[in-house]
Amino acid sequence: MFAVCVFVGLLAWASPQEHCCMPDTFDIKLHTLSGMVDDGHPHALAEYVHLYFDHGNHRAAAFHDVNYNDGSFQGFKTIDRYDHQRRYVIAQGQCTWYPIHGDMPRHCVHERAEYVGPSYYGAGEHQLHVNRWREFIRDEQDNLEMVIDSVVTR
């Protein structure tokens, strides 16, 4: 599960935007740092994931690289074929498949998300202008609270 927790101060006068979805084909690079306590022992990990989505052909793929604070590493790939209802996991030279059920989900700003306002990354002619959305999620079963910031180019 990925959670991006960011505090951003933006101007309150920003006009509301329509909830929207990602294009049919896109890719994302994620870098996450997280920690957990397992059996009383703290663990930290840094994860790099490159995700590819092709809704038109009902396919997705992900390349995962996970580095743990004890120096260990785990790398694996997943390929989702919604047209065949299968997920392939390739790890340590082995390919295993699992059934997946249903249609490929759309990647949209959730209806519960609140529009935060416009923002940008970079500077000068390389600025990327974006709209920011924020969603608060509470999972009682896992005792987890998340703030998810969605950033959509405009």
Side-chain angles (χ1 to χ4, degrees):
M1 179 175 297
F2 298 103
V4 178
C5 301
V6 180
F7 174 77
V8 180
L10 296 172
L11 300 176
W13 53 263
S15 63
Q17 298 292 312
E18 294 292 321
H19 290 76
C20 59
C21 296
M22 296 294 287
D24 281 347
T25 305
F26 65 96
D27 72 296
I28 297 172
K29 293 179 182 175
L30 296 172
H31 294 268
T32 61
L33 297 173
S34 59
M36 63 182 159
V37 176
D38 183 25
D39 227 7
H41 299 11
H43 299 278
L45 60 96
E47 185 171 16
Y48 168 77
V49 183
H50 197 158
L51 303 158
Y52 301 88
F53 297 94
D54 182 355
H55 286 275
N57 290 309
H58 310 284
R59 299 177 184 175
F63 297 85
H64 302 262
D65 290 325
V66 184
N67 295 291
Y68 298 92
N69 64 323
D70 65 2
S72 62
F73 169 82
Q74 181 183 17
F76 62 95
K77 300 173 183 131
T78 60
I79 301 169
D80 293 344
R81 294 286 311 261
Y82 285 87
D83 53 342
H84 297 155
Q85 297 290 286
R86 287 188 175 188
R87 167 173 284 170
Y88 299 91
V89 178
I90 303 163
Q92 300 175 343
Q94 299 277 72
C95 181
T96 308
W97 71 270
Y98 303 92
I100 54 176
H101 305 286
D103 295 329
M104 185 175 187
R106 297 291 307 174
H107 292 84
C108 302
V109 175
H110 197 278
E111 288 298 320
R112 291 186 307 248
E114 174 185 324
Y115 180 68
V116 176
S119 186
Y120 63 90
Y121 295 101
E125 66 185 54
H126 300 290
Q127 264 186 5
L128 175 64
H129 294 270
V130 297
N131 288 316
R132 298 185 70 88
W133 300 81
R134 180 161 296 142
E135 179 180 359
F136 296 92
I137 298 174
R138 182 177 185 87
D139 183 341
E140 298 288 341
Q141 180 178 352
D142 292 329
N143 194 24
L144 177 68
E145 289 187 13
M146 292 186 297
V147 177
I148 298 176
D149 271 2
S150 297
V151 179
V152 180
T153 58
R154 47 184 177 119

